[in-house]
Amino acid sequence: MAQQTNIAAQTAFGEAVVAGDLDEIVAADSTDHDPAPGQTPGPGGYKTMFGELRTAFPDLDIRVEHLVATDDELAFAYVISGTHLGPLMGRPATGRKASYRGMQISRFDSDGKLVERWGSSDELGMLRQLGLVEV
């Protein structure tokens, strides 16, 4: 895929995450090399993972700060932010705001569907901001 096509696919994936409509943007056999605890493969796993995040942070915002694209993959740095107003990892809402960074590498197929993902985000930093773990 061309670089611009990869960028468009990543933009569509980001929009699908916020909207919760991942069935059309994630390949059925997609592999997440860094899955969340209990995350199942394919679109269902992404829907569950990001659904919990959207429930916990109804004002969820994901902002890409840096993006590098090749014909095959893209890598990007992002910031996730929101107000903790719903349950998260079995813990009740705190009402606190959190903002934390992450990085991801994505590979899309020729139909623009996510087929592989590697990623890492500062979840410990997020939990600290919310007061859910000791500093």
Side-chain angles (χ1 to χ4, degrees):
M1 285 179 40
Q3 290 178 9
Q4 292 304 317
T5 305
N6 267 333
I7 292 169
Q10 181 59 53
T11 300
F13 179 77
E15 292 168 356
V17 165
V18 173
D21 185 19
L22 292 153
D23 289 319
E24 299 301 317
I25 199 76
V26 176
D29 60 349
S30 177
T31 300
D32 190 336
H33 296 282
D34 300 296
Q39 180 182 341
T40 60
Y46 286 96
K47 285 172 72 171
T48 300
M49 175 183 59
F50 287 118
E52 180 180 11
L53 199 59
R54 282 191 323 279
T55 297
F57 301 98
D59 59 346
L60 179 68
D61 181 59
I62 303 171
R63 186 178 72 250
V64 174
E65 291 194 326
H66 186 75
L67 176 76
V68 176
T70 70
D71 287 347
D72 298 317
E73 298 173 324
L74 11 104
F76 59 98
Y78 58 88
V79 173
I80 295 177
S81 60
T83 309
H84 184 210
L85 299 176
L88 176 68
M89 299 178 192
R91 305 225 176 133
T94 63
R96 294 182 175 184
K97 293 186 181 287
S99 179
Y100 59 104
R101 296 172 124 337
M103 298 188 78
Q104 181 172 307
I105 300 170
S106 301
R107 189 170 66 81
F108 295 90
D109 67 13
S110 60
D111 294 326
K113 290 189 175 192
L114 181 71
V115 293
E116 267 187 297
R117 175 195 170 275
W118 297 261
S120 180
S121 60
D122 184 15
E123 292 174 359
L124 179 58
M126 178 258 304
L127 293 170
R128 285 180 175 156
Q129 291 174 53
L130 299 176
L132 297 176
V133 296
E134 295 291 321
V135 176

